[in-house]
Amino acid sequence: MALITLRQLLDHAAEYSYGVPAFNINNMEQGLAIMEAAKAVDAPVIIQASRGARSYANDIMLAKMIEALAAIYPDIPLCMHQDHGNNEATCMTAIRHGFTSVMMDGSLEGDAKTPASYEYNVEISERVARMAHWVGASVEGELGVLGSLETGEGEAEDGHGAVGKLDHSMLLTDPDQAVDFVKKTQVDALAIACGTSHGAYKFSRKPDGEILAMSVIEAIHKKLPNTHLVMHGSSSVPQDLQDIINEFGGAMPQTFGVPVEEIVRGIKMGVRKVNIDTDCRMAMTGQFRRIAEQNKAEFDPRKFLKPAMDAMRDLCKARLEAFGTAGHASKIKVIPMDDMAKRYASGSLAPKTN
Ligand SMILES: [Zn+2]
């Protein structure tokens, strides 16, 4: 059993200058694909479940699945993370079901749609961090609202995302405010807004500094060199995956994601967790379409799912290699959550903000 907390994993990533992709799951096949990739390249992994995933799969199913994945792959440090928790209850029930880490996204109110005030965000994130740390679990906060700098809109995914036009200043995290936020909330990792958005339709052209503000990451890292930064909406939406879907009967309009080389640049500037969901979905769905088109007599779901898992495994493997995560699993000695709780209580894990 090698369930690791986000805090320990990202501390290790910072020490050895690498990033860790966080892949979303809803089902067994995605979980197996991620773990196969991790095993192939000796990488630790972050698996995350959104509220949408929890209602799709059921909490007990997810909890048992994580337990099973940890048992099947005992040598792979596995962090189980709640993606975009909208309130205290979402975060606490995740921990109760065996998650080692939660995101309290207080950039939006509890409805997961309305942009929240800074005061609201600080208050709820601080409260969740305090409760989670009592049991040794880690907390990711978010400052700034995710959305496109091209359209000024957020992208709702799994029922989560800002609705309506957003002011440019909300779409870019303010570095000074970030320092204040980490100080007040004591979060272990900070998700920042820099022009990325959820889903496949992030950019209408290959992004430049106008629409993907890597400079914001650099500025935050300068002020908060010891804080683990998180990039959301960081699928690359590779052209070959778009092509496979469209070649076999799909109709995805041309779109652009976050180039892998930009993420690698971000990792050099303190990004430690990189959220990827769309790419995994596209890798699988492309194979469903291909099999359906090429073998119209096929009716065994496994004949669709096996190539889909293989495609997702290859995608995950490529990201683990590109982000430098590969080769680190065997170097990590997992600290149990109870020990992490003691370290929080002693103050030794308090964020260094100056
Ligand atoms: Zn996100």
Side-chain angles (χ1 to χ4, degrees):
M1 227 3 205
L3 280 178
I4 190 172
T5 60
L6 185 73
R7 177 60 187 271
Q8 190 200 347
L9 179 51
L10 299 191
D11 280 353
H12 190 268
E15 191 179 344
Y16 295 94
S17 307
Y18 64 93
V20 188
F23 302 114
N24 286 74
I25 65 162
N26 303 279
N27 60 33
M28 176 189 86
E29 284 77 10
Q30 292 168 313
L32 288 170
I34 296 165
M35 296 307 285
E36 275 300 309
K39 187 180 147 193
V41 298
D42 185 37
V45 281
I46 302 168
I47 291 184
Q48 54 187 12
S50 64
R51 284 191 298 137
R54 287 176 63 182
S55 63
Y56 174 83
N58 188 304
D59 281 349
I60 296 171
M61 191 66 79
L62 276 174
K64 297 289 176 193
M65 218 150 67
I66 292 308
E67 202 183 310
L69 291 174
I72 299 167
Y73 301 92
D75 300 329
I76 301 298
L78 162 58
C79 168
M80 185 60 204
H81 178 78
Q82 166 75 52
D83 192 17
H84 290 286
N86 62 321
N87 59 29
E88 299 91 327
T90 299
C91 295
M92 291 307 117
T93 53
I95 292 170
R96 199 181 68 198
H97 284 100
F99 288 46
T100 58
S101 175
V102 295
M103 174 189 195
M104 176 60 234
D105 180 359
S107 74
L108 301 176
E109 290 181 6
D111 65 4
K113 286 185 180 69
T114 313
S117 71
Y118 179 65
E119 292 68 30
Y120 171 92
N121 192 357
V122 167
E123 205 219 326
I124 197 161
S125 303
E126 186 275 329
R127 192 157 55 241
V128 168
R130 195 151 28 95
M131 292 191 286
H133 291 168
W134 281 334
V135 294
S138 319
V139 177
E140 172 187 338
E142 174 166 326
L143 185 62
V145 180
L146 288 191
S148 162
L149 292 167
E150 287 185 275
T151 63
E153 280 170 19
E155 180 87 30
E157 189 169 61
D158 279 1
H160 185 100
V163 172
K165 281 272 174 199
L166 297 163
D167 188 280
H168 221 76
S169 68
M170 295 167 86
L171 294 166
L172 295 172
T173 304
D174 177 74
D176 290 316
Q177 204 173 50
V179 176
D180 186 62
F181 185 81
V182 171
K183 241 182 222 170
K184 285 180 175 153
T185 60
Q186 303 279 298
V187 292
D188 301 285
L190 180 67
I192 45 103
C194 62
T196 66
S197 51
H198 293 128
Y201 304 101
K202 301 179 194 300
F203 305 109
S204 66
R205 57 184 160 94
K206 190 169 188 288
D208 54 21
E210 282 287 298
I211 54 178
L212 175 61
M214 299 301 288
S215 55
V216 169
I217 297 177
E218 199 175 6
I220 295 170
H221 183 52
K222 262 200 190 116
K223 295 198 180 241
L224 282 172
N226 296 305
T227 295
H228 307 312
L229 303 180
V230 183
M231 275 176 84
H232 279 243
S234 291
S235 278
S236 302
V237 201
Q239 190 63 48
D240 61 326
L241 295 184
Q242 294 183 49
D243 291 346
I244 291 172
I245 287 174
N246 288 337
E247 184 186 340
F248 297 105
M252 281 187 75
Q254 178 63 45
T255 178
F256 296 86
V258 183
V260 171
E261 64 266 24
E262 292 294 332
I263 298 170
V264 170
R265 206 151 71 85
I267 290 168
K268 293 189 178 114
M269 304 187 293
V271 170
R272 298 288 161 233
K273 174 171 178 277
V274 182
N275 289 8
I276 295 170
D277 187 5
T278 294
D279 286 353
C280 297
R281 295 178 178 196
M282 287 176 69
M284 290 196 116
T285 302
Q287 295 305 309
F288 297 155
R289 286 196 170 279
R290 185 178 66 77
I291 303 297
E293 185 87 12
Q294 288 182 338
N295 194 350
K296 292 189 194 296
E298 188 55 70
F299 60 86
D300 180 348
R302 290 171 300 182
K303 295 283 167 40
F304 294 78
L305 288 163
K306 190 64 182 58
M309 285 164 70
D310 290 349
M312 180 166 162
R313 177 204 58 210
D314 292 348
L315 185 284
C316 295
K317 216 174 117 187
R319 296 294 180 274
L320 291 165
E321 282 173 330
F323 300 168
T325 336
H328 286 288
S330 47
K331 296 181 194 155
I332 299 173
K333 194 177 176 308
V334 172
I335 301 168
M337 275 173 74
D338 282 348
D339 287 0
M340 289 299 285
K342 281 178 201 146
R343 293 179 193 207
Y344 283 115
S346 74
S348 68
L349 293 177
K352 297 184 193 87
T353 48
N354 41 35

